[in-house]
């Protein structure tokens, strides 16, 4: 590590599963020390995501069967700290620092990490491979994230970025855009195919619209009527308004790939629009994790179901190249100082925005 000394940092600690009262803004948190193969990053900006709220309220616990917005402010009754409330299904080591979207600058290195990396502008992979096949380590869940002035990560998951984008724009990428790219990557979406994206006005959904368009696909989007024009502006060919019957709007057997971020009661109906041999990818369940499936639809149409969490390193490498070649562009809806975490999450839950909400740590001037 470099020989610079650091005073205690500012961070937001999550002290347990529950409501907003579990978010504690602190100015006396020790700056982390990079271990072997790690780098220390000064965080310039960090985006807000559904996963921050889901982790806080313990929604990932199998004891929860409702949509992720239920209990998002006050917490979900009955979820305990010792339960399976993390991405990995094991108890979280509270207190933790959340924040899945890190953009910042490397300011220190641990043993075995290249000191020449100090000064690099980087973004950090949210979904990081573990030691076992399909094991996934998630920023802000299994390890501390970016709702702080500093964070330590493995050098291999801190990607150097050369771009004129602002820190806020770069902080919009790691979680939402890697989730979207992973869905398309796993489904092998090709030019000329038809892709249906649910929740298309949100962070992951709007990213999926752009990324599917980039691949040359015909993009169909499910979104609220009030946001239809903005979704079309992101590259969608057609918007089906939420509440409409997708089969009546699109016809049976009309879509090659579905990217579903909503799930819930409407999920079975979506499968009717998939062509025989089509692929259903899922990376969220905003409307609820419990769905009823006619298994005959799955096997008689030869469908492929793909749950998308673990990411091949190629997914994040793809995103770096798209950014540096200016092939994509995120929308930053609003920024907030880190101390206004609760206001940012409240605005996030109201779903009136299109694009990303981003938090800025104190005392740092973003590019």
């Amino acid at each position: 590590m470099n020989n610079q000394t650091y005073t205690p940092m500012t961070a937001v600690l999550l002290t347990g599963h529950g409501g907003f009262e579990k978010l504690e803004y602190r100015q006396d948190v020790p700056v982390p020390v990079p271990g072997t193969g790690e780098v220390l990053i000064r965080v310039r900006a960090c985006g807000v995501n559904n996963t921050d709220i889901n982790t806080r309220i313990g929604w990932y616990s199998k004891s929860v069967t409702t949509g992720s917005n239920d209990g998002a402010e006050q917490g979900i009754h009955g979820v305990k700290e010792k339960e399976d409330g993390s991405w990995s299904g094991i108890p979280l080591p509270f207190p933790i620092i959340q924040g899945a979207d890190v953009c910042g600058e490397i300011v220190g290195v641990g043993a075995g990490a290249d000191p020449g990396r100090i000064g690099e502008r980087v973004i950090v992979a949210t979904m990081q491979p573990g030691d076992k096949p399909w094991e996934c380590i998630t920023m802000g869940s299994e390890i501390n994230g970016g709702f702080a002035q500093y964070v330590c990560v493995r050098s291999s998951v801190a990607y150097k970025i050369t771009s004129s984008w602002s820190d806020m724009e770069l902080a919009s990428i790691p979680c939402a855009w890697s989730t979207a790219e992973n869905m398309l990557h796993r489904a092998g979406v090709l030019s000329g195919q038809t892709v249906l994206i649910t929740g298309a006005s949100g962070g992951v959904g709007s990213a999926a619209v752009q990324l599917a368009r980039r691949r040359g696909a015909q993009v169909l989007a499910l979104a609220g009527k009030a946001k239809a024009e903005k979704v079309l502006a992101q590259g969608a060919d057609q918007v089906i308004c939420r509440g409409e019957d997708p089969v009546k709007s699109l016809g049976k057997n009309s879509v090659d790939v579905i990217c579903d971020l909503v799930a819930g009661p409407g999920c079975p109906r979506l499968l009717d629009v998939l062509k025989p041999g089509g692929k259903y990818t899922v990376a969220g369940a905003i409307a609820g994790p419990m769905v009823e499936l006619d298994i005959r639809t799955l096997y008689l149409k030869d469908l492929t179901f793909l749950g998308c969490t673990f990411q091949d390193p190629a997914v994040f490498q793809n995103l770096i190249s798209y950014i540096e070649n200016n092939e994509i562009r995120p929308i930053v809806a609003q920024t907030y100082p880190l101390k206004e975490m609760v206001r940012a999450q409240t605005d996030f839950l109201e779903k009136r925005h299109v694009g990303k909400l981003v938090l800025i740590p104190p005392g740092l001037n973003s590019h």
Side-chain angles (χ1 to χ4, degrees), residues 20 23 48 334-350 357 359:
F20 289 138
L23 296 170
V48 176
Q334 192 168 343
T335 63
Y336 307 78
L338 184 62
K339 66 181 179 181
E340 294 185 8
M341 167 80 76
V342 172
R343 184 165 75 94
Q345 288 197 6
T346 300
D347 290 350
F348 184 91
L349 290 166
E350 290 178 353
L357 306 182
L359 291 160

Side-chain angles (χ1 to χ4, degrees), residues 168-182:
M168 289 76 76
E169 289 174 310
L170 289 174
S172 299
I173 293 293
C175 185
W177 287 73
S178 70
T179 299
E181 176 68 9
N182 191 41

Side-chain angles (χ1 to χ4, degrees), residues 189-195 212-219 235 237:
V189 171
L190 300 173
S191 178
Q193 290 188 315
T194 302
V195 178
R213 167 63 67 187
R214 184 202 160 275
R215 288 172 178 253
Q218 180 185 10
V219 182
D237 293 287

Side-chain angles (χ1 to χ4, degrees), residues 236-256:
D237 293 287
Q238 180 181 346
V239 175
I240 300 93
C241 293
R242 189 166 52 243
E244 292 182 14
D245 184 340
V247 176
K248 289 184 179 180
S249 299
L250 303 174
K252 288 186 176 181
N253 304 333
S254 57
V255 172
D256 295 292

Side-chain angles (χ1 to χ4, degrees), residues 80-103:
K80 306 298 183 183
E81 276 70 31
K82 293 182 179 180
E83 291 184 357
D84 54 338
S86 70
W87 280 77
S88 62
I90 61 176
L92 289 168
F94 295 112
I96 63 170
I97 299 172
Q98 294 184 279
D101 283 329
V102 173
C103 170

